[in-house]
Amino acid sequence: MRNTFYILLLLLLFSCGSNTQNKETAYDPYDYQIIKQHNFRKAAVSSAHPLASLVGKEILAKGGNAIDAAIAVQYALAVVYPNAGNIGGGGFMVVHTKDGESATIDFREKAPAAAFRDMYLDSEGNPIDTKSRDGHLAAGVPGTVKGMELAHEMFGSLDFKELIQPAIDLAEHGFAITAREARGLNRNKKDFQKYSTEPSAFVKESKWEEQDTLLQSDLASTLRRIQDQGAKGFYEGETADLIVQEMERGGGIISLEDLKSYEAVVRDPVVFDYKDYQIISMGLPSSGGILLQQMLRQLEEYPISEYGFQSKESVQLMVEIERRAYADRALYLGDADFVDVPVEALTNKEYLLSRMEDFTPLKASKSEDIEAGEVLLPTKEETTHFSIADELGNVVSLTTTINGAYGNRVVVGGAGFLLNNEMDDFSAKPGSPNKFGLLGAEANAIEPGKRMLSAMTPTVVLKDGKPLMVVGTPGGSTIITSVFQTLVNVLEFGLSPAEAVNSPKFHHQWKPDVIYVEKDYPKTLIAELEEMGYEFKERIPIGRTEVLMLEEGYINAVADKRGDDGVAGY
Ligand code: DON
């Protein structure tokens, strides 16, 4: 009896001890805070959702590396941030390891085998406005689950089952949604009902409110199949069957064969020097790295830091550089597995210098006229980026998307996740603008199995061979110019990462020939540039940029003020 008493006492003490230990890193999915900026001593995560950042921190604190944490964060975002976090979409991962190795993983969606060039055109050859964006036909073959598996095979150190477990817990036991998420779900209720063929966790009778619990049991089961079988638990068997049944009910074209044959790919990163820094970014099928290279290479010819932050000289120069880069993007860039892209020529210094020969300081140049109709202002755009650094010296920069907010708004019946509407990133009709007003040519025309051109720009900046910044953002066509501005703001104008991220942004994408600005952009500066001949348009907030700045002895982690984005670390 006495012995039993002591054993019970010991057990009690032991369990108290382990509780205390858990508390150090534990998070409460019903009670969490948004931390926008913090200096962490060893490791940090900045992502679009505080819970996802906390999941990443837990994995890092357990001894997982940045890639383990990235996999856990990607899956957690698929649960807590359904408007962009995903398993039904794709993305790009840029890794720089403690051993100095750089690698990128392309898990971009692909056009299904039954896709064809003119599939979104009417009988007169004009794009049918919403066909590439809404509903089943808008979905490309998802790449995320294969991408995470490849990342784990290459760099993972913890058991994959542990990495996906937090996402399963959040889906199964729920979490409190933020006010912003509640608004998003309410705004999209009609679309979920219109485009999904079965009821889903995202639709309830009454309005969603801040702090409501979101429970996703179908998604939890799907994640468990991935936990048990790896990527096969998604691309084959029950989940694949559910996706194909959903396609059949809704008139989509993704087949079992499309799913089974999907592969994520290791690509050479885009690597280039900018002054004393080395930039590592994503190559094709993203246009991000190539355009960043073009723009920074042109910029380095000018004394931009002397012009100063938000001066008319610096903004005009950057706008003219952006104009020229986006013109090249529209004509030349597409999936290099399918088309020849003259990457070397486009990033060649002489070529880039020649592109700026007609640049006149303080005078606007004009983009040529376009023959296609109305260029749309982006209204609903969602992608998400996260940046991670571990205590070993590995960093990950990862941007992932289902394209529009909540993708094509189709929740796969019985599987509980949203599909992407990434097919809209192709040029449905060369010369006609897509959702982001972006133009494309033959290089980005639809072909079966081809990847649609992206603007996602997950980037790592090295100084003396060591990571200095980890940066990226959502924002459709504005992604590349947001990353460009964030880098210039820090590296040239000496802004702190938080100032660099949170200052109002501008954007020019060649066509339409306007400078887009956020609504708090300085009015006097706008007036000065208008005098030079520029036209302005106010738009919705630009980007949600997550930056880690690796200073001597600490990491300055910053989450964009524009959303619920939050940092975590230790
Ligand atoms: O890959 C791309 O460039 C687009 N699908 C990204 C969409 C996006 O950033 C929407 N978000 N804010």
Side-chain angles (χ1 to χ4, degrees), residues 270 272 279 281-284 286-299 318 321-334 341 343 346-347 352 355 438 453-457 459 476-481 483-484 487 507-510:
V270 168
F272 61 96
I279 314 283
S281 193
M282 192 66 219
L284 294 169
S286 179
S287 57
I290 293 172
L291 260 69
L292 197 60
Q293 182 172 10
Q294 286 193 316
M295 296 194 297
L296 285 171
R297 280 207 161 153
Q298 285 170 333
L299 193 75
M318 289 168 78
I321 284 174
E322 291 173 7
R323 184 201 305 278
R324 285 158 179 78
Y326 276 75
D328 280 354
R329 180 191 195 276
L331 187 62
Y332 295 112
L333 302 193
V341 180
V343 177
L346 287 171
T347 51
L352 291 170
R355 291 284 281 156
L438 283 171
L453 185 62
S454 173
M456 293 189 280
T457 315
T459 297
S477 56
T478 68
I479 291 175
I480 314 169
T481 54
V483 171
F484 178 52
L487 295 187
H507 167 76
H508 196 293
Q509 61 181 48
W510 178 52

Side-chain angles (χ1 to χ4, degrees), residues 127-143:
I128 304 169
D129 199 25
T130 58
K131 211 172 168 186
S132 59
R133 287 173 222 149
D134 298 336
H136 299 68
L137 261 191
V141 183

Side-chain angles (χ1 to χ4, degrees), residues 84 92 108-109 285-287 329 380-384 399-405 421-422 425 435-436 438 452-456 473-479 543:
F92 302 107
R108 181 71 161 166
E109 301 92 324
S286 179
S287 57
R329 180 191 195 276
K380 292 198 289 183
E381 46 179 51
E382 275 309 333
T383 291
T384 189
T399 315
T400 179
T401 189
I402 40 178
N403 196 27
N421 58 354
E422 220 75 58
D425 275 350
K435 166 181 165 58
F436 301 110
L438 283 171
M452 51 299 275
L453 185 62
S454 173
M456 293 189 280
T473 183
S477 56
T478 68
I479 291 175

Side-chain angles (χ1 to χ4, degrees), residues 534-568:
Y534 292 97
E535 204 185 303
F536 281 83
K537 222 173 221 171
E538 252 182 33
R539 53 153 282 161
I540 55 172
I542 298 181
R544 285 169 63 171
T545 309
E546 322 293 12
V547 177
L548 302 182
M549 184 96 183
L550 288 86
E551 307 277 8
E552 203 52 51
Y554 68 96
I555 303 166
N556 181 359
V558 172
D560 200 308
K561 69 169 185 188
R562 294 168 183 80
D564 298 327
D565 317 40
V567 302

Side-chain angles (χ1 to χ4, degrees), residues 130-177:
T130 58
K131 211 172 168 186
S132 59
R133 287 173 222 149
D134 298 336
H136 299 68
L137 261 191
V141 183
T144 295
V145 175
K146 270 280 168 80
M148 294 306 103
E149 185 167 83
L150 182 55
H152 188 252
E153 279 163 15
M154 290 176 67
F155 302 108
S157 70
L158 297 185
D159 183 0
F160 171 70
K161 289 188 190 326
E162 262 186 82
L163 306 180
I164 197 172
Q165 188 61 44
I168 295 174
D169 291 339
L170 287 162
E172 188 156 31
H173 306 301
F175 63 97
I177 61 170

